[in-house]
Amino acid sequence: MLAKNKSGWKLIEYIDIQEEDIDRYENVTGAYAILKVADKYVIGYNSWRQQWEFPAGGIDVGETAREAAVRELYEETHQRNEMLKFKGLFKVEDAKGIIKYQAIFIGEQPELNPFEHKENDEMSEIRLWDMQEDIGYVDECDVKIAQIVFE
């Protein structure tokens, strides 16, 4: 096990594959979009879970993992970035013990676009984070994912 978060999710394994091989894995249910601006990461405060985390979410029916990552990045942080690079899958176990796979995409941009919290936004604020500064609770699985894919 690579990490475990306060919600009981376990990060089990990193799988370094090509994007076209995603379909070889069953139960790819989510996608992350981890974005860097200069040497810092775009992170959001999830007011529903009361924690800092990277943009991620479920893959909708008929949507590719890439489309989900781009959509989640925009929905959660109001950042538009179509140039995300696929970095592989992470095998996870959710709090109910169900094994799932999460697709990971990364990207960079020169500056942080404005964020204005809207009523139904999952994230109440975003910021740039160097992964060192104490900003409160940050999902341990998210931190481990970023450390691995940006090595």
Side-chain angles (χ1 to χ4, degrees), residues 14-147:
Y14 171 58
I15 304 165
D16 186 9
I17 63 167
Q18 299 298 310
E19 189 170 359
E20 58 268 14
D21 296 328
I22 289 176
D23 292 340
R24 293 184 184 178
Y25 292 83
E26 291 185 28
N27 219 19
V28 179
T29 62
Y32 276 76
I34 304 175
L35 194 61
K36 283 182 88 173
V37 175
D39 291 329
K40 295 185 178 182
Y41 300 85
V42 177
I43 193 163
Y45 188 77
N46 186 315
S47 54
W48 302 346
R49 286 191 277 278
Q50 300 292 301
Q51 67 183 25
W52 290 95
E53 58 189 38
F54 293 114
I59 300 170
D60 292 338
V61 174
E63 186 176 51
T64 67
R66 175 176 292 282
E67 291 166 340
V70 169
R71 175 183 51 77
E72 289 290 341
L73 177 65
Y74 180 72
E75 286 178 0
E76 295 187 358
T77 68
H78 305 177
Q79 308 300 299
R80 286 205 187 273
N81 191 312
E82 304 278 336
M83 303 303 295
L84 299 175
K85 179 181 176 186
F86 179 72
K87 290 297 286 185
L89 296 176
F90 276 90
K91 181 178 181 180
V92 300
E93 181 181 321
D94 72 13
K96 297 177 183 174
I98 299 170
I99 299 296
K100 301 177 180 186
Y101 295 88
Q102 306 291 298
I104 310 300
F105 294 84
I106 64 170
E108 294 187 29
Q109 61 190 46
E111 60 187 25
L112 189 63
N113 296 324
F115 175 84
E116 184 178 321
H117 178 70
K118 295 180 175 74
E119 184 178 335
N120 293 325
D121 281 349
E122 190 172 338
M123 302 295 190
S124 58
E125 65 179 293
I126 67 168
R127 62 170 297 155
L128 295 176
W129 183 50
D130 64 4
M131 291 192 32
Q132 303 294 319
E133 179 185 358
D134 182 2
I135 59 172
Y137 180 77
V138 181
D139 186 294
E140 294 92 345
C141 293
D142 286 17
V143 171
K144 192 64 173 177
I145 287 169
Q147 288 171 338

